[in-house]
Amino acid sequence: REEESDNVREKLMVPESDHLTLLNVYQQWKTHGYSSDWCTEHFVQAKALRKVREIRTQLIDIMEKNKMALLSCGTSWDSVRKAIASSYFHHAARLKGLGEYINLKTGMPCFLHPTSALYGLGYNPEYLVYHELVYTTKEYMQCVTATDPLWLAE
């Protein structure tokens, strides 16, 4: 069962970003009619996705009340990655060596978490941003997105 869930998980991954992987999971769920059966088949928690859908609806309502245009980037993942980089610039890291990154602000060493879509790609992106650090045997970055250093400078 573990091997089956790993295979399904791999098919949903977006290699350059855990954030985009989460977005891809949501979009696939939406494409399949917000199906609980789809969640079961793909080892995804339906309750968590329903909460995401609820928050998305709230954000759309806020945008409409403020007369903000609701625009989609379509399949332009780089637009989303750029927005993520601008939001998480304080959690930016640069590759130091084999799998080791250095936080650009603090100089603290950190590593890709083994559950990341970027882990084991065969290459390590030069720069990335992350959502949080989790300490187990060392500092691991969770929810990571590869980024262009120029996006961090903007």
Side-chain angles (χ1 to χ4, degrees):
R1 190 105 171 121
E2 186 178 334
E3 186 178 325
E4 182 184 356
S5 71
D6 287 346
N7 289 338
V8 169
R9 184 174 169 267
E10 192 174 304
K11 290 177 184 171
L12 292 170
M13 281 188 177
V14 177
E16 60 268 350
S17 174
D18 296 330
H19 296 94
L20 292 180
T21 295
L22 294 171
L23 178 58
N24 186 44
V25 168
Y26 180 83
Q27 288 178 331
Q28 293 298 317
W29 180 57
K30 181 179 176 182
T31 299
H32 289 87
Y34 305 107
S35 165
S36 292
D37 289 339
W38 182 90
C39 290
T40 302
E41 292 166 13
H42 290 84
F43 303 91
V44 176
Q45 293 182 5
K47 184 177 179 181
L49 283 177
R50 285 192 297 272
K51 185 67 176 173
V52 170
R53 186 177 178 191
E54 178 185 322
I55 292 168
R56 184 179 186 280
T57 300
Q58 291 172 6
L59 290 171
I60 290 170
D61 288 346
I62 290 167
M63 290 178 71
E64 288 172 351
K65 285 177 187 168
N66 289 289
K67 297 177 177 37
M68 297 172 71
L70 180 61
L71 304 172
S72 172
C73 67
T75 57
S76 176
W77 293 113
D78 279 353
S79 298
V80 179
R81 287 177 47 227
K82 190 173 184 180
I84 292 167
S86 71
S87 299
Y88 286 104
F89 67 91
H90 55 285
H91 285 170
R94 179 183 49 82
L95 185 63
K96 177 183 178 187
L98 286 170
E100 183 178 358
Y101 286 84
I102 298 293
N103 179 293
L104 293 177
K105 185 175 181 183
T106 65
M108 181 171 53
C110 43
F111 300 83
L112 284 174
H113 194 275
T115 59
S116 173
L118 285 80
Y119 187 85
L121 278 181
Y123 72 95
N124 290 315
E126 188 72 23
Y127 289 86
L128 46 77
V129 292
Y130 58 90
H131 177 73
E132 66 182 349
L133 288 174
V134 175
Y135 183 78
T136 55
T137 55
K138 49 189 168 184
E139 292 281 357
Y140 284 107
M141 299 173 285
Q142 284 194 318
C143 211
V144 177
T145 293
T147 188
D148 185 316
L150 297 176
W151 298 342
L152 296 171
E154 288 181 10

